Amino acid sequence: MSRVLTKNHAHFQKALTRLPLGVASNFRFWGEDRTIYVKYGRGGRVFDLDDNGYVDYRLGYGPAILGYADPRVDEAAREGMQVGGVFALSTEREYRVAERIAKMVPAAELVRFSNSGTEAVMAALRLARAYTGKDDYVILEGSYHGLFDAAMWYTPMDKWSQVGDPEVYPYSQGIPLSTRSFAHFVQANDANQLEDVLRRHAGKVACLLIEPIMGNCLGIAADPAYMRAARSLCDRYGVLLVIDEVKTGFRVARGGAQELYGVKADLCTFAKAMGNGYPISVLAGREDIMRKLGHGVAHGGTYTAHSVSLAAAERTLQILDETDALERIAQYGTALRQGMSAILRARGIAHSFVGHPSMSGLYFAQDPPRNYRDWKGSDYAFYDAAARVLHDEGVLCEPDSREPWFVCAAHDESCLKQTLAAFEIAVEKTLTAQSGRRQAGA
Ligand SMILES: Cc1ncc(COP(=O)(O)O)c(C=O)c1O
């Protein structure tokens, strides 16, 4: 497939005149010649302004778990529209959705709705601080919890090899450096380091904020033993365990990562898959903590529990809970991994997959990464080059290798066949380009 992007390019130039980078989110800018605009999405595919069709493994960073424009969810959304939108008052459906969530996720004893993952995690952090009376928090290096100041810190890759803790920088200008001292960073899967941090800052830490499967970092997965250790260390040091399930929730299992690991959070957050793309998120958790909302802790928002999103969430959760959608998603993800592996193995390319079959990270080294810094050991340059060819061949993955490939229930045999054919072409072309560069350099 040779992609024509004429209309996309023309629209990009027009959009630039009114929108910074020509897009509505920095992450949607893929360069002057590769930024695309979606005309529509159906099932497991999206179509751009030039009518190029793509099998989509980004799925909007995860939400479209049943596929785009799922008729069952959209019908429910239309019913939600009839309710009337927002009232700055509650509706009966909130209770029904909360009941469903509590059934699927035992830790979700009480539930509050918000609109985005960021909002839910911000609320979780505030509530954890209020409940414990402490300000500090611990997060895993490489994790992503949304675009709010407290979660936007990183250590540059070129500093990783230095002795001691490398300096931490804000992701963005505009983040006050004075807030930096509240955050403490640990590497995934190192319980000794976690204990050391909790001991050194004992009495100051409100919570450990963690994604057991790092949904923005290849899907690097915590070991079950690490999650058990994290749970008991939190208990020992009087720290709340906040599990961010914005990506894993209602995806890796009906009860999310907590079901997969058999670990119960004190507070947990959900978004993405719960509404199949309609904007809705949840902060949930232990009753004694959640009851502080309204008793000293602020929570709210004009658009929370909007009737359209809430109706979409009710239907989406019912489908995920009562059908075999998640099993089919995992089966497809496993078949995709097997197919890609066979192509890479046939060419002697070392690789491994991380995460969960429903959200897989492809890592170009034999042994799967155990923390963010391992990512440096992957041939991510190979990935980046192959991703560009995949886009040209009608398969949409994130250009950045750290974003896992998301699978939805609408991905079918034809999607798989098309993906593997495109993947084989992408691998071949990338190998050829690499060897061309080597020869030119020799
Ligand atoms: C684990 C996690 N938490 C929070 C967020 C923020 O969610 P949103 O983009 O809906 O604000 C994301 C987004 O990708 C996420 O993956």
Side-chain angles (χ1 to χ4, degrees):
M1 173 181 163
S2 177
R3 221 173 23 146
V4 173
L5 293 174
T6 320
K7 290 182 183 163
N8 286 283
H9 287 159
H11 187 74
F12 174 68
Q13 293 304 330
K14 192 160 103 184
L16 270 182
T17 64
R18 286 286 175 212
L19 301 160
L21 294 178
V23 289
S25 155
N26 291 0
F27 307 114
R28 297 177 197 174
F29 171 71
W30 290 2
E32 297 225 345
D33 55 343
R34 299 187 81 86
T35 297
I36 55 168
Y37 295 85
V38 172
K39 202 174 196 178
Y40 62 93
R42 288 289 179 280
R45 296 172 196 265
V46 292
F47 299 84
D48 71 15
L49 293 187
D50 287 282
D51 294 316
N52 297 305
Y54 307 86
V55 180
D56 186 13
Y57 294 101
R58 295 175 69 253
L59 300 176
Y61 293 140
I65 190 144
L66 298 172
Y68 294 109
D70 182 275
R72 300 160 296 179
V73 179
D74 286 355
E75 189 196 336
R78 279 190 292 275
E79 283 165 21
M81 217 174 280
Q82 297 305 313
V83 177
V86 284
F87 313 100
L89 288 170
S90 285
T91 60
E92 275 188 308
R93 190 171 266 131
E94 291 165 24
Y95 170 80
R96 292 208 297 273
V97 180
E99 274 276 285
R100 173 74 69 178
I101 292 171
K103 170 178 175 273
M104 295 170 83
V105 183
E109 292 171 9
L110 260 59
V111 163
R112 269 287 172 93
F113 297 99
S114 297
N115 304 296
S116 68
T118 297
E119 259 187 274
V121 183
M122 282 173 76
L125 183 57
R126 181 184 305 125
L127 181 56
R129 285 168 151 170
Y131 182 82
T132 57
K134 297 164 190 166
D135 289 339
D136 290 12
Y137 53 97
V138 178
I139 47 180
L140 267 57
E141 194 176 280
S143 60
Y144 179 78
H145 298 287
L147 284 179
F148 65 107
D149 291 1
M152 292 172 68
W153 302 97
Y154 80 107
T155 55
M157 210 197 315
D158 59 351
K159 304 261 168 61
W160 286 352
S161 47
Q162 78 186 38
V163 181
D165 289 341
E167 206 164 329
V168 174
Y169 294 86
Y171 267 128
S172 165
Q173 294 173 18
I175 296 176
L177 288 176
S178 56
T179 62
R180 151 78 188 88
S181 60
F182 294 124
H184 305 283
F185 301 88
V186 292
Q187 298 298 322
N189 287 317
D190 187 343
N192 290 334
Q193 188 194 25
L194 177 60
E195 174 150 32
D196 181 50
V197 167
L198 293 180
R199 195 186 304 115
R200 274 195 284 133
H201 302 282
K204 283 169 60 187
V205 179
C207 66
L208 166 66
L209 174 58
I210 185 170
E211 276 180 284
I213 298 173
M214 294 164 80
N216 300 270
C217 195
L218 284 162
I220 292 174
D223 296 333
Y226 178 75
M227 281 311 296
R228 284 195 298 275
R231 177 65 274 178
S232 65
L233 286 170
C234 284
D235 292 339
R236 192 173 327 147
Y237 287 89
V239 165
L240 297 186
L241 177 61
V242 180
I243 300 191
D244 181 355
E245 298 236 33
V246 162
K247 273 191 168 163
T248 52
F250 312 115
R251 168 171 282 283
V252 298
R254 286 174 180 77
Q258 295 176 74
E259 179 182 321
L260 218 54
Y261 282 87
V263 169
K264 205 169 161 188
D266 297 307
L267 291 173
C268 43
T269 51
F270 298 90
K272 312 265 186 192
M274 69 173 286
N276 201 47
Y278 287 89
I280 187 161
S281 64
V282 148
L283 161 65
R286 243 170 61 194
E287 177 168 1
D288 60 323
I289 307 173
M290 291 292 291
R291 293 259 181 235
K292 274 201 75 75
L293 296 175
H295 292 94
V297 183
H299 179 270
T302 303
Y303 297 104
T304 56
H306 189 288
S307 69
V308 173
S309 296
L310 198 62
E314 184 178 28
R315 190 75 180 103
T316 304
L317 290 172
Q318 184 198 14
I319 294 167
L320 295 175
D321 193 18
E322 295 178 7
T323 72
D324 64 350
L326 290 184
E327 285 74 22
R328 285 190 291 110
I329 287 171
Q331 274 161 20
Y332 182 100
T334 303
L336 181 64
R337 283 181 175 190
Q338 285 165 349
M340 289 165 90
S341 248
I343 291 165
L344 294 168
R345 255 198 326 272
R347 289 157 182 85
I349 300 174
H351 67 281
S352 45
F353 288 98
V354 258
H356 183 266
S358 68
M359 47 184 285
S360 279
L362 172 56
Y363 180 73
F364 282 107
Q366 195 64 47
D367 298 319
R370 296 182 41 75
N371 61 42
Y372 182 36
R373 293 193 192 177
D374 284 348
W375 174 69
K376 203 174 174 179
S378 178
D379 187 355
Y380 49 84
F382 187 92
Y383 183 100
D384 293 353
R388 291 165 78 89
V389 184
L390 282 167
H391 296 174
D392 292 339
E393 296 296 324
V395 171
L396 217 52
C397 56
E398 186 70 4
D400 183 329
S401 70
R402 284 167 291 191
E403 183 73 11
W405 288 41
F406 289 92
V407 177
C408 73
H411 282 138
D412 58 14
E413 205 45 51
S414 76
C415 293
L416 185 62
K417 220 170 133 200
Q418 186 181 333
T419 305
L420 295 179
F423 189 69
E424 186 147 28
I425 294 169
V427 170
E428 269 306 315
K429 283 195 173 170
T430 309
L431 284 173
T432 308
Q434 270 187 346
S435 82
R437 268 198 305 278
R438 266 198 301 274
Q439 275 164 18

